[in-house]
Amino acid sequence: MTAPRTGLELISRVTAAGELELSLVEAEVPAPGPDEVVVQIQAAPINPSDLGLLLGPADISTARVSGGVTTAKIPPQRLAGMAARLDQPLKVGNEGAGVVIAAGANAQALLGKTVAVVGGATYAQYRTCKARDVVELPAGVTAAQGASAFVNPLTALGMVETMRREGHTALVHTAAASNLGQMLNRVCLKDGIALVNIVRSTAQASLLRELGAPIVLDSTSDGFTAQLVDALAATKATIAFDAIGGGPLANQILTAMEAAANRSATAYSRYGSSIHKQVYIYGALDLRPTELDRSYGLAWSVAGWLLTPFLMKLGAGVAALRARVNAELTTTFASHYSATISLREVLEPEVIARYARRATGEKFLIDPSK
Amino acid sequence: MTAPRTGLELISRVTAAGELELSLVEAEVPAPGPDEVVVQIQAAPINPSDLGLLLGPADISTARVSGGVTTAKIPPQRLAGMAARLDQPLKVGNEGAGVVIAAGANAQALLGKTVAVVGGATYAQYRTCKARDVVELPAGVTAAQGASAFVNPLTALGMVETMRREGHTALVHTAAASNLGQMLNRVCLKDGIALVNIVRSTAQASLLRELGAPIVLDSTSDGFTAQLVDALAATKATIAFDAIGGGPLANQILTAMEAAANRSATAYSRYGSSIHKQVYIYGALDLRPTELDRSYGLAWSVAGWLLTPFLMKLGAGVAALRARVNAELTTTFASHYSATISLREVLEPEVIARYARRATGEKFLIDPSK
């Protein structure tokens, strides 16, 4: 096997004129250095965390194709935040999997192996990268099965690890029927951790219950607030990971945590309960502002949470998480895709409209070899 | 000197019927145990942190006096949060100072000394407490000068200490012309720490500039946003202590911190800058919700901040802070009062209206011996 000299890769560009441009370019495939490999990508997921780089703040209802390039307008008020990426051709795709078709002198053992890849630029036919950025998949695991071996699995484990490190013993998760949420549910069931799942429809609630989740609350149901206080009092969950971000939900969770804490309070505290209540926002399914009425004393925190800095903080501890993911890749950390599309299809307006919806249960896999 | 058998103390009660009741009661003055002292209180400040316990969420425009008791209505929607204190007679006053008029066997050295007191119930003529809850004031320092020796000084030092412990090197303070703000300004000038002062009027800005504050921004002025970014870029301040709480200010600070961080960024980061941006809310001058539009990546946190848990975390380190406060009580940590009132006056509706305004520069001292 030898790597071809060139291959297609997907490029996202935001122009100073206020347009998003998506294109496929024929790019050079660098020959591998001594510690490098060339992977022929066979599967790369479209994660919510990829969409920001891929689509920027474009209004995708304006997407048009011309000469093989897809363009969409960016609302002027959102262009200011893009200053740092204007006119730069950016490669996309946080992770993926494929076969090693060329390897440097120190990486020959990987030749021919199916590996998972992390580090960006996976929406491409070929990816030259350091051998340390790939993980050999266990025997019998396909590229499609290994395509999501990093972001979602390490995020689920990162949430549990954050919970433990910050002294909490149970947790809350929102948008809990997502691929990530199903994974977190399996981790918590396996590890005996109480998880309060919050979803936004009866269909999602049923889905999670069928997957064995003991506590599933529907935030659109009438009794939600009271049920949430009950669940928090029963589990003593004082940390939440929130994929929604905007609107009232983060505030509802903090308010319910305070009410649950006060159920066991023995004396009035003028500053609210002394139990620390934490909400980490890691997604933005709702783009509205987060509104905090601060009716829960002063022992609370709302903060952003992102995988990469967490892993950097964890340092050498990451290896143990990666080993667990690899061992349980087709069980605890299995991902499900609603469709597999080609690189070309990623640029089609009607396909963009589908994957940009971020609908629960709809997850796309790109196969650049299609 | 011997302590009287009884003395007046101020009681705040929230009734189940939805009324605040403020009264003065003739209460027993307990004889001191072996490790206790009786302090005749001569000065106790009305701090913003006292107002929550004193007035609860009462609508003070409805305050009326009848039979020596002041009552005011509590809006029904705010009564729910009061469940834990309903119908309880609560003593008020976080701190104060006075003369030790009786002392137990192990505390005789304090007899006749002017001391500062912490631990509550200082809105009273006499206070029996543990000797460890008082600090002897330096020679020549009056009770009025020592009345605010704990809350504001330790809060100012606690902010600086929090800044250091969390890896920041400069800080932002809002409502910065307050007694606390002036104190923080003196601490930062003395310790060579860059402090970005944010105030809400030109008068407050002038006041702070006259006190030597190098950076004072008026959030009501036209160029505020740009000036804030400049100040944050120059000082590299990435932590703010916010007394306002509600409205847009916390979000403006985070947005400006991100813009300042991006000025020195060398590459586009899809998740915003990796520099952690922290806002601690320690007050509620604005009762509206805090609105966070999250346009500053994921490396941010907004959290409540309260002195007592911080001091508990600090543990033995508190002694060094207290020693510094005592040594600089009439300089760095001097407080200024706009009026000295009697216990009886604390109950008068027109006086309540004044101290409840929490206006910058207006701070009340109670002298229970008046």
Side-chain angles (χ1 to χ4, degrees):
Chain A
M1 279 184 291
T2 52
R5 305 267 285 273
T6 64
L8 286 179
E9 65 183 24
L10 192 150
I11 294 295
S12 171
R13 187 196 314 256
V14 169
T15 69
E19 273 200 335
L20 168 76
E21 287 179 7
L22 298 179
S23 57
L24 293 183
V25 301
E26 191 76 33
E28 191 198 349
V29 178
D35 298 309
E36 291 185 327
V37 295
V38 179
V39 181
Q40 179 176 15
I41 305 287
Q42 296 170 326
I46 302 182
N47 287 317
S49 53
D50 291 308
L51 290 176
L53 191 60
L54 181 62
L55 302 179
D59 175 358
I60 55 133
S61 70
T62 65
R64 300 287 177 272
V65 184
S66 173
V69 176
T70 301
T71 58
K73 296 205 188 312
I74 292 174
Q77 73 277 16
R78 308 208 72 174
L79 195 60
M82 295 289 107
R85 67 170 284 187
L86 284 188
D87 293 324
Q88 293 177 47
L90 298 177
K91 302 175 186 189
V92 191
N94 281 317
E95 64 183 342
V99 174
V100 176
I101 57 169
N106 306 326
Q108 286 291 312
L110 287 165
L111 204 55
K113 298 287 167 50
T114 299
V115 296
V117 190
V118 74
T122 58
Y123 296 177
Q125 289 181 305
Y126 305 98
R127 168 103 166 85
T128 302
C129 62
K130 297 285 179 196
R132 64 161 186 264
D133 287 337
V134 309
V135 173
E136 187 180 337
L137 293 173
V141 174
T142 65
Q145 288 174 313
S148 296
F150 293 96
V151 179
N152 275 353
L154 291 178
T155 299
L157 290 177
M159 289 173 176
V160 170
E161 195 64 26
T162 299
M163 174 200 84
R164 289 198 182 107
R165 288 180 161 231
E166 299 186 1
H168 308 270
T169 54
L171 72 166
V172 179
H173 189 222
T174 74
S178 64
N179 251 286
L180 172 62
Q182 295 176 28
M183 211 173 266
L184 183 63
N185 176 51
R186 290 193 293 268
V187 170
C188 288
L189 285 174
K190 187 153 188 171
D191 293 7
I193 296 165
L195 171 65
V196 177
N197 292 286
I198 300 178
V199 297
R200 293 180 293 173
S201 74
T202 52
Q204 290 165 357
S206 304
L207 170 67
L208 268 180
R209 286 204 192 90
E210 279 161 26
L211 296 172
I215 308 175
V216 186
L217 307 179
D218 177 358
S219 62
T220 65
S221 79
D222 277 348
F224 173 64
T225 304
Q227 288 161 14
L228 182 57
V229 176
D230 286 345
L232 296 174
T235 59
K236 302 207 183 304
T238 46
I239 184 170
F241 288 88
D242 175 31
I244 312 284
L249 189 55
N251 197 64
Q252 286 176 303
I253 292 171
L254 289 169
T255 305
M257 283 178 178
E258 180 71 1
N262 284 336
R263 278 201 191 163
S264 51
T266 51
Y268 172 67
S269 164
R270 76 194 81 173
Y271 301 118
S273 81
S274 59
I275 293 171
H276 186 73
K277 297 162 285 291
Q278 177 73 50
V279 173
Y280 281 116
I281 293 177
Y282 73 94
L285 293 176
D286 187 330
L287 292 171
R288 289 178 295 169
T290 312
E291 286 207 9
L292 307 174
D293 68 14
R294 312 184 311 287
S295 62
Y296 21 79
L298 286 163
W300 60 270
S301 169
V302 175
W305 192 90
L306 186 60
L307 180 60
T308 309
F310 171 75
L311 294 179
M312 287 174 71
K313 211 189 308 178
L314 206 58
V318 176
L321 303 191
R322 282 198 176 181
R324 178 172 178 186
V325 172
N326 226 23
E328 302 173 29
L329 201 47
T330 58
T331 54
T332 313
F333 301 105
S335 287
H336 302 282
Y337 305 95
S338 46
T340 300
I341 59 179
S342 69
L343 275 179
R344 178 64 57 193
E345 287 173 296
V346 179
L347 275 58
E348 292 176 5
E350 58 274 28
V351 181
I352 295 175
R354 286 167 62 205
Y355 65 69
R357 281 177 56 217
R358 310 174 191 213
T360 298
E362 272 212 75
K363 192 176 176 77
F364 285 71
L365 191 66
I366 302 170
D367 180 353
S369 70
K370 264 179 92 169
Chain B
M1 280 184 293
T2 52
R5 305 269 284 273
T6 64
L8 286 180
E9 66 184 22
L10 192 150
I11 294 295
S12 171
R13 187 198 313 257
V14 168
T15 69
E19 273 199 336
L20 168 75
E21 285 179 7
L22 297 179
S23 57
L24 293 184
V25 301
E26 191 76 33
E28 191 199 350
V29 178
D35 298 310
E36 291 185 328
V37 294
V38 180
V39 181
Q40 180 176 14
I41 305 287
Q42 295 169 326
I46 302 183
N47 286 317
S49 53
D50 292 306
L51 290 177
L53 191 61
L54 181 63
L55 302 179
D59 175 358
I60 54 132
S61 70
T62 64
R64 300 285 178 271
V65 185
S66 172
V69 176
T70 301
T71 57
K73 295 205 189 313
I74 292 174
Q77 74 277 14
R78 308 207 71 173
L79 195 61
M82 295 290 106
R85 67 170 283 188
L86 282 187
D87 294 325
Q88 294 177 46
L90 299 177
K91 302 174 185 190
V92 191
N94 281 317
E95 64 182 343
V99 174
V100 176
I101 56 168
N106 305 327
Q108 284 291 311
L110 288 165
L111 204 54
K113 298 287 166 54
T114 299
V115 296
V117 191
V118 75
T122 57
Y123 295 177
Q125 289 181 306
Y126 305 98
R127 168 101 167 84
T128 302
C129 62
K130 297 286 179 195
R132 65 160 186 266
D133 286 339
V134 310
V135 173
E136 186 181 338
L137 295 173
V141 173
T142 66
Q145 288 175 314
S148 296
F150 293 95
V151 179
N152 275 353
L154 292 177
T155 299
L157 290 178
M159 289 173 176
V160 170
E161 195 64 27
T162 299
M163 175 201 84
R164 289 199 182 104
R165 288 179 161 232
E166 299 185 2
H168 308 271
T169 55
L171 72 166
V172 179
H173 189 222
T174 74
S178 64
N179 252 285
L180 172 63
Q182 295 176 27
M183 211 173 266
L184 183 62
N185 176 52
R186 290 193 293 269
V187 170
C188 288
L189 285 175
K190 187 153 188 170
D191 293 7
I193 296 165
L195 170 67
V196 177
N197 292 287
I198 300 177
V199 296
R200 293 180 292 174
S201 74
T202 53
Q204 290 166 357
S206 304
L207 170 67
L208 268 179
R209 285 203 193 93
E210 279 161 26
L211 296 172
I215 308 175
V216 186
L217 307 179
D218 177 358
S219 63
T220 65
S221 78
D222 276 348
F224 172 64
T225 304
Q227 288 161 15
L228 182 57
V229 176
D230 287 345
L232 295 174
T235 59
K236 301 207 184 304
T238 46
I239 183 169
F241 289 89
D242 175 31
I244 312 285
L249 189 55
N251 197 64
Q252 285 176 304
I253 292 170
L254 290 168
T255 306
M257 283 178 177
E258 180 71 0
N262 284 335
R263 278 201 190 163
S264 50
T266 51
Y268 172 68
S269 165
R270 73 193 82 174
Y271 300 118
S273 81
S274 60
I275 294 171
H276 186 72
K277 296 162 287 291
Q278 176 74 51
V279 173
Y280 280 117
I281 294 177
Y282 74 94
L285 293 176
D286 187 329
L287 292 170
R288 289 178 296 170
T290 312
E291 285 208 8
L292 307 173
D293 69 12
R294 311 185 311 287
S295 62
Y296 22 77
L298 285 164
W300 60 270
S301 169
V302 175
W305 192 89
L306 186 60
L307 179 60
T308 310
F310 171 74
L311 293 179
M312 287 175 71
K313 212 189 304 176
L314 207 57
V318 176
L321 302 191
R322 282 199 175 181
R324 177 172 178 185
V325 173
N326 226 23
E328 302 173 29
L329 201 48
T330 58
T331 54
T332 313
F333 301 105
S335 286
H336 303 283
Y337 305 96
S338 47
T340 301
I341 60 178
S342 68
L343 275 178
R344 177 64 56 193
E345 287 173 297
V346 179
L347 274 58
E348 291 176 6
E350 60 273 29
V351 180
I352 295 175
R354 286 167 63 205
Y355 66 68
R357 281 177 57 216
R358 308 175 195 215
T360 298
E362 273 213 74
K363 193 175 175 78
F364 285 71
L365 191 67
I366 302 170
D367 179 355
S369 69
K370 265 179 91 169

